[in-house]
Amino acid sequence: MPRFAANLTLMFTERPFLERFEAAAEAGFTAVEFLFPYEHPPGAIAERLRTFGLTQALFNLPPGDWAAGERGLAALPDRFEELRAGVETGLRYAKATGVARLHLMAGVAPADDSQAQAAYRRAVAWTAERLAREALDLVLEPINARNMPGYFLNDFDVAARLIRDLGLPNLKLQFDLYHCQILHGDVTMRLRALMPMVGHVQTASVPGRHEPGTGEMNDARLFAELDSLGYDGFVGCEYNPAGGTREGLGWFEAYRASQIRQPPSEAP
Ligand SMILES: O=C(O)[C@H](O)C(=O)CO
Ligand SMILES: [Mg+2]
């Protein structure tokens, strides 16, 4: 059975962010992910993970000015120094939370622009080698243009080709089932083909980006496929609850008992 990570950016938004850890644990999750932790001190995140026996599955490296529409820096040639500083910030949170993988966002840039392609390759290689020094994986995620217009990395084949070409052992693919269906379809066969390089998986219904089982895909069948393929990572629940978060967790009943919780420890 997959190990699910509640996405605290999108789920349990009925409560302030720092209270969502408890809500996720109460609901039976044993792991969490979110987009960005940077509005809160690393210690505040770490304390909630320890208190509620939660494992940090993933978060994103700093994306530039998100409010201004930036969606990452890696494909922006003139932002490399800012990216490097952001990686060091992300590493401080990684050390505090014990996360084992970080996602580097590409940014808004033309996918066919040669300067953006060179900048992206350089940024990915540098970041992967920097994370390797901390025994961390780097994951790259193709994202569809409906959700993120103009996003540079919008093709699973392009991502897979770069990962293979660089051949760095800690450089892996973030396989968002939602994006794969929208970008390409043929999700099961792409999972089978790319599984050797998959470092993280995410789920949401298509087209609504709501709870698994409410869209055009048989999400439970995809979770069983992950088991068949021997995937032992996390499945991030990166969906917008259609109603209340708790009310929408009926899909999780079949998996709740199999979620592995590390023992809660006393807060420092
Ligand atoms: O949007 C997504 O699917 C990514 O996982 C992400 O976190 C950037 O928004
Ligand atoms: Mg995603």
Side-chain angles (χ1 to χ4, degrees):
M1 293 282 208
R3 190 172 178 194
F4 292 96
N7 186 299
L8 300 186
T9 301
L10 302 181
M11 298 173 70
F12 302 104
T13 54
E14 300 88 349
R15 297 167 73 165
F17 181 78
L18 290 178
E19 294 178 18
R20 297 175 194 172
F21 294 79
E22 180 176 16
E26 284 173 350
F29 288 97
T30 61
V32 296
E33 65 170 36
F34 33 72
L35 269 65
F36 311 111
Y38 308 112
E39 290 180 5
H40 307 279
I45 309 281
E47 187 269 336
R48 281 154 182 81
L49 294 170
R50 281 193 298 272
T51 301
F52 300 109
L54 293 167
T55 300
Q56 185 71 46
L58 173 98
F59 56 82
N60 300 335
L61 287 162
D65 186 345
W66 187 270
E70 296 188 329
R71 293 295 181 267
L73 303 171
L76 311 183
D78 59 348
R79 306 288 289 274
F80 184 57
E81 288 313 311
E82 182 181 347
L83 178 145
R84 284 171 31 133
V87 168
E88 298 308 321
T89 299
L91 287 174
R92 286 194 295 112
Y93 283 80
K95 185 174 180 183
T97 61
V99 72
R101 63 200 61 74
L102 299 174
H103 171 215
L104 177 69
M105 295 190 70
V108 175
D112 60 356
D113 179 280
S114 60
Q115 290 185 324
Q117 291 167 352
Y120 185 65
R121 182 187 179 97
R122 175 199 188 193
V124 167
W126 182 87
T127 304
E129 287 163 350
R130 179 67 186 90
L131 266 55
R133 301 208 314 256
E134 312 300 331
L136 296 172
D137 284 348
L138 178 68
V139 288
L140 307 179
E141 182 190 30
I143 295 177
N144 83 80
R146 186 159 70 224
N147 287 94
M148 215 167 273
Y151 192 71
F152 173 77
L153 188 66
N154 58 14
D155 185 306
F156 278 64
D157 294 330
V158 170
R161 197 157 46 241
L162 178 62
I163 291 168
R164 288 192 185 101
D165 191 28
L166 288 174
L168 297 169
N170 71 320
L171 179 60
K172 299 178 181 177
L173 180 68
Q174 180 167 317
F175 197 117
D176 191 325
L177 300 165
Y178 168 81
H179 292 309
C180 183
Q181 173 67 358
I182 292 171
L183 284 168
H184 308 293
D186 204 20
V187 177
T188 299
M189 294 308 288
R190 281 180 178 268
L191 263 182
R192 292 176 183 172
L194 298 175
M195 186 46 65
M197 68 169 66
V198 171
H200 190 64
V201 174
Q202 292 174 317
T203 181
S205 72
V206 177
R209 207 168 197 178
H210 297 309
E211 286 81 355
T214 63
E216 67 194 38
M217 293 196 292
N218 184 337
D219 299 304
R221 176 71 199 80
L222 291 172
F223 301 155
E225 183 68 26
L226 288 171
D227 285 344
S228 304
L229 292 169
Y231 175 67
D232 62 357
F234 294 94
V235 177
C237 300
E238 194 177 34
Y239 67 82
N240 297 292
T245 305
R246 286 298 303 251
E247 293 74 10
L249 284 176
W251 70 270
F252 189 50
E253 281 309 312
Y255 307 101
R256 192 192 307 276
S258 66
Q259 302 303 295
I260 309 152
R261 183 180 305 284
Q262 63 192 39
S265 59
E266 289 304 315

